[in-house]
Amino acid sequence: MNPSEARIVLTGANGGIGRETAAAFIGAGASVLLVGRSAAQLSALSRSIQTTAREHAGRIAWQVADLGKAAQVGELGGIATEWRCNVLVHAAGVPCFGALETVDAETMRRVLDINLLAPMGLTQALLPHLRAQARAQVIFVGSALGRIGLPGFSIYSASKFGLRGFAESLRRELSGTGIRVQYVGPRSTRTTFNDAAVQAYNAATGTAMDSPGRVAQTLLRSLQDGAAERFIGFPERLAVRINGAVPTLLDGSFDKHRRSVPSPSADGALPAQRSDRPVASPIESSGVPR
Ligand SMILES: NC(=O)c1ccc[n+]([C@@H]2O[C@H](COP(=O)([O-])OP(=O)(O)OC[C@H]3O[C@@H](n4cnc5c(N)ncnc54)[C@H](OP(=O)(O)O)[C@@H]3O)[C@@H](O)[C@H]2O)c1
């Protein structure tokens, strides 16, 4: 779509990739509804983009929403409909790095909530409105790790693989309508998303990191050409293809990555496993002799 015709709802707008993407979209002539959790940051971002060029004023709006709360996802759908959006860019996300034993149940749920359930719910809420548009686009910011499972990223990969599956299925479901469904998979990118442990892992494994500006330009390109899927950087793009065709072929290629994941027993203690459900006594829950 030509950016000047686009009215884009952008989640994760206050993030490292989100800020650059907002500026790129607006600079190309689009109107953008910035979505984030901090009113102060959204308002500051909106002001800073407007001060770069006065003609941008009037094409920027912002809305606070916590995408971890289903009610707020639904409300955002209503606000985006009233604002007459025709493009939805899901860039909000949370990281998760570490050996599986070190991730507690609450973190697992939050990663799936923000990275997978929120974009699914927001897309569903906006679908009737998007179907009524002559042309519309839904762009999911996934990850190279939504195509390649790496040691240390099992939970994060599960969320981004899920998102890619959702996007692929929905793209086919909506084929023949005016709605394009797209998935953009950045590789590691220099934002605060990656803490010191991930940066050490990247350094140890020779993993390249892109600037958020490169991701923003890729998202702008995807808005313009409607490409169904796009991954960023070499060798990640090649690995995505190989892994897609013959996943087990690469199984032996990640020894260095495995060794670079902090050991779960490094500090001698694992986090307690949490569960919402009360644990039943062995007599009630099992017939296995002990
Ligand atoms: N950086 C990378 O290496 C990398 C690589 C591949 C893919 N990605 C993906 O790119 C996207 C953006 O990442 P980034 O690097 O820009 O990360 P970031 O700087 O940490 O930004 C993440 C954004 O997600 C928003 N968010 C988190 N939880 C939220 C919630 N409960 N409700 C609403 N918004 C929430 C944050 O909003 P607040 O400002 O309110 O906190 C923040 O703006 C993510 O989907 C990430 O998975 C990143």
Side-chain angles (χ1 to χ4, degrees):
M1 169 181 310
N2 186 323
S4 62
E5 296 164 15
R7 293 181 64 78
I8 304 168
V9 170
L10 174 66
T11 71
N14 280 327
I17 289 173
R19 283 194 300 273
E20 295 279 343
T21 303
F25 283 161
I26 291 164
S31 297
V32 180
L33 177 67
L34 310 165
V35 179
R37 284 176 297 179
S38 159
Q41 283 180 24
L42 288 169
S43 150
L45 175 62
S46 160
R47 275 198 309 275
S48 87
I49 294 173
Q50 284 178 54
T51 51
T52 62
R54 287 174 67 87
E55 69 268 21
H56 296 340
R59 286 195 284 111
I60 310 177
W62 54 268
Q63 177 62 44
V64 170
D66 184 339
L67 301 175
K69 304 204 163 106
Q72 293 192 27
V73 172
E75 279 167 31
L76 177 61
I79 288 160
T81 298
E82 271 177 39
W83 186 74
R84 295 179 290 110
C85 82
N86 57 3
V87 178
L88 185 50
V89 178
H90 297 280
V94 290
C96 188
F97 173 67
L100 180 58
E101 300 97 306
T102 66
V103 184
D104 61 58
E106 194 180 305
T107 301
M108 284 186 200
R109 247 194 308 270
R110 190 168 53 87
V111 172
L112 292 174
D113 266 354
I114 306 303
N115 293 3
L116 183 56
L117 289 174
M120 286 164 60
L122 185 57
T123 304
Q124 185 186 47
L126 273 166
L127 209 47
H129 168 74
L130 295 178
R131 278 186 191 274
Q133 310 306 305
R135 285 192 308 145
Q137 285 171 243
V138 181
I139 305 177
F140 296 95
V141 179
S143 169
L145 301 183
R147 268 288 203 172
I148 310 164
L150 289 186
F153 289 98
S154 57
I155 308 302
Y156 181 72
S157 261
S159 71
K160 295 293 185 177
F161 265 70
L163 194 63
R164 204 191 65 76
F166 178 73
E168 181 177 286
S169 184
L170 192 64
R171 180 168 65 249
R172 293 169 182 171
E173 186 171 316
L174 297 178
S175 157
T177 73
I179 307 172
R180 292 286 298 162
V181 180
Q182 301 166 254
Y183 183 90
V184 173
R187 61 180 175 181
S188 205
T189 306
R190 282 187 295 278
T191 72
T192 55
F193 198 77
N194 298 307
D195 64 10
V198 174
Q199 288 175 40
Y201 175 96
N202 284 347
T205 56
T207 302
M209 295 182 85
D210 285 321
S211 71
R214 181 174 185 188
V215 180
Q217 287 307 315
T218 305
L219 286 165
L220 176 59
R221 193 168 150 218
S222 293
L223 170 73
Q224 290 167 320
D225 69 10
E229 274 199 354
R230 181 165 273 137
F231 290 87
I232 303 174
F234 183 86
E236 284 78 1
R237 274 202 307 270
L238 177 63
V240 158
R241 281 173 178 264
I242 296 172
N243 205 55
V246 195
T248 51
L249 203 63
L250 295 181
D251 280 359
S253 308
F254 299 113
D255 288 351
K256 206 191 280 180
H257 295 74
R258 192 172 54 251
R259 286 195 301 272
S260 305
V261 179
S263 161
S265 54
D267 62 0
L270 296 177
Q273 289 298 304
R274 290 184 221 160
S275 168
D276 288 344
R277 273 179 292 161
V279 178
S281 80
I283 292 164
E284 291 165 328
S285 64
S286 170
V288 178
R290 290 166 189 243

